Amino acid sequence: MSALNRHQVDREPKTQQAISLPQEACALVVNGEPYNLSVPTETSLMHVLRNDLVLNGPKYGCGLGQCGACTVLIDGVAARACVVPAHGVQGRAITTLEGLGTRDQQHPVQLAFIEEQAAQCGYCLNGMILMTVSLLAQNPDPTESEIRHALSGNFCRCGTHVEIIRAVKRAAVLMQAHREQSHDKR
Ligand code: FES
Ligand code: FES
């Protein structure tokens, strides 16, 4: 059995059930795991992740690419899964919140958000956390104005902005410590 076949989705995808459109094969790599699916051509990545792969990290907010709730990483860069066609990202490395860390071993950005208690309802957190991972990969020591700019398209209806900005600053510190630890182990 090939690696791809190992994750063949053999039940009828929910996307397929809901929309009676011609199906097309779609091979995705999500959180390091390969999946073979069959979905309508224009199906968004968010619908495939949530409905077919049961990955509920990406949240459905506006569905228009304007709120950031559905953010994922594509090749390490933040993208809005509600406006990305699943077929367009075949073979790319897709990371959802589920692929960052575990309950026992959180990613430094997740840890920073927990330590700063940067959440109320939590609906925006998927986008805030993945946007922060993407930001810190490009700019490991951002200023407050760079953080505000990077997160300006991610909406928090609960008004948790002050704690979220604090969490991003803490995440930058934790990521730096994490890099130093990894370097020392070599
Ligand atoms: S749900 Fe994708 S940006 Fe709002
Ligand atoms: S914590 Fe509720 S939307 Fe941000």
Side-chain angles (χ1 to χ4, degrees), residues 92-162:
R92 313 266 303 271
I94 298 158
T95 306
T96 68
L97 194 62
E98 290 88 345
L100 273 196
T102 63
R103 190 177 286 271
D104 296 328
Q105 200 162 10
Q106 299 96 356
H107 185 282
V109 174
Q110 291 172 308
L111 192 57
F113 273 72
I114 293 167
E115 289 178 349
E116 290 295 342
Q117 300 193 1
Q120 290 192 47
C121 79
Y123 205 78
C124 67
L125 281 196
N126 169 72
M128 295 293 184
I129 289 172
L130 287 170
M131 185 58 79
T132 301
V133 172
S134 181
L135 166 67
L136 296 181
Q138 294 160 40
N139 180 358
D141 189 19
T143 62
E144 179 161 330
S145 109
E146 287 169 333
I147 294 169
R148 285 175 181 271
H149 179 72
L151 296 183
S152 61
N154 285 67
F155 299 153
C156 174
R157 290 185 182 185
C158 299
T160 319
H161 304 87
V162 172

Side-chain angles (χ1 to χ4, degrees), residues 17 25 30 47-48 51 81 98 100 119 134 167 174 185:
Q17 293 167 356
V30 182
H47 280 103
V48 172
N51 294 346
E98 290 88 345
L100 273 196
S134 181
L174 294 182
K185 281 184 191 157

Side-chain angles (χ1 to χ4, degrees), residues 46 59-71 80-83:
M46 181 187 70
K59 297 290 181 280
Y60 183 41
C62 63
L64 298 168
Q66 295 185 0
C67 74
C70 64
T71 301
R80 300 190 166 191
C82 68
V83 289

Side-chain angles (χ1 to χ4, degrees), residues 1-48:
M1 186 178 283
S2 73
L4 276 177
N5 284 338
R6 193 157 53 85
H7 288 286
Q8 187 85 39
V9 176
D10 51 8
R11 66 193 163 78
E12 186 182 16
K14 287 185 183 169
T15 307
Q16 184 175 338
Q17 293 167 356
I19 311 167
S20 188
L21 292 171
Q23 309 296 307
E24 212 176 287
C26 183
L28 297 177
V29 181
V30 182
N31 299 330
E33 299 285 345
Y35 295 90
N36 283 335
L37 302 115
S38 179
V39 293
T41 318
E42 297 301 326
T43 306
S44 76
L45 178 60
M46 181 187 70
H47 280 103
V48 172

